[in-house]
Amino acid sequence: RSQRDNKTGFIVPESSNDDLAIKDPDDVKIIFWSGGKDSFLALRALVRLGNNGRTQAEKASFGVVLLTTFDATSRIIAHQEVHISTVIRQANALQIPLVGVPMHRGTSETYVDRVRKGIELVSSSPYGKNKKLSLVFGDLHLAHTKKWRKDMLNYDLEYPNWKIPCEQLLADLDQSGVPCIVSASSNDIVKEGDVFNRQLYEKAIQNGVDAFGEEGEFHSLAKVWEVDRKMALGL
């Protein structure tokens, strides 16, 4: 279950996430959340960073907010082909605040214009006011996408899984226990409804498909609600 914070526009899970959230953190990391495996793995990398210290005082002090863009009319997340209600379900399961950014068709506003408004919403809210904000992405190796974001977004950008070997990422996904289902595909090798696992990973490689779908070969949905929250996050 969740409630909407009418003052900020956030979707705020009712359950407490004291084991993850830092009270009044100095920094807030906004994860660009597609609902798929790459953004999920970026979240797990952040949790490891936050839990790296041996004592509470040594742990990294930052808050986490999810940010998702979706079509204002269809309510579908582009490329993932997943309804925004599914991402709200993820946020509830993970107990992490979510801000949704609707993309309106037929207006003069660009994607970047809308994203900036979403970031500004975080920065003006109780979650991000007077905090140092950074944007976190799940990209693995697409240099041109990374450069475009640097040129367009005037914030600190973080890529916790950048250039991390795919085998290492796959092992981390296995450890989470979270099933990831292919939600959209542009090829005949990896099909919608397939479970993204080691077998599918190897099949993709053998058939010349990027094993993580970085070029848009396929997209996925992380069913985080199917396992214990602490296991999913790596807490």
Side-chain angles (χ1 to χ4, degrees), residues 3 5 12 43 62 71 95 116-117 126 128 143 151 203:
Q3 59 184 356
D5 185 331
V12 184
L43 173 60
F62 57 81
D71 184 89
Q95 298 174 22
R116 284 176 179 154
K117 286 186 176 181
D151 292 340
K203 178 182 178 183

Side-chain angles (χ1 to χ4, degrees), residues 12 17 35 44 49 57 65 75 80 93 100-101 118-119 143 166 168 174 184 188 199-200 202 208 210 220 222 225:
V12 184
N17 64 341
R44 279 180 59 87
L49 175 64
V65 172
R75 318 297 283 181
Q80 308 297 126
V101 180
I119 298 168
C166 286
Q168 186 175 330
D174 287 343
D188 296 328
Q199 290 73 31
L200 189 65
E202 292 174 352
D210 186 293
S220 61
W225 56 82

Side-chain angles (χ1 to χ4, degrees), residues 121-180:
L121 180 62
V122 177
S123 67
S124 63
S125 74
Y127 304 99
K129 194 170 184 178
N130 300 320
K131 311 297 182 185
K132 178 181 179 294
L133 299 182
S134 58
L135 312 182
V136 180
F137 301 92
D139 298 79
L140 306 181
H141 58 71
L142 294 184
H144 64 277
T145 302
K146 190 177 183 182
K147 181 181 183 304
W148 178 84
R149 290 199 175 112
K150 182 180 179 180
D151 292 340
M152 300 302 291
L153 298 170
N154 188 28
Y155 292 89
D156 289 336
L157 310 182
E158 299 182 23
Y159 297 84
N161 288 324
W162 186 255
K163 298 292 186 181
I164 298 296
C166 286
E167 277 286 349
Q168 186 175 330
L169 295 173
L170 188 62
D172 190 36
L173 191 61
D174 287 343
Q175 189 173 11
S176 77
V178 171
C180 290

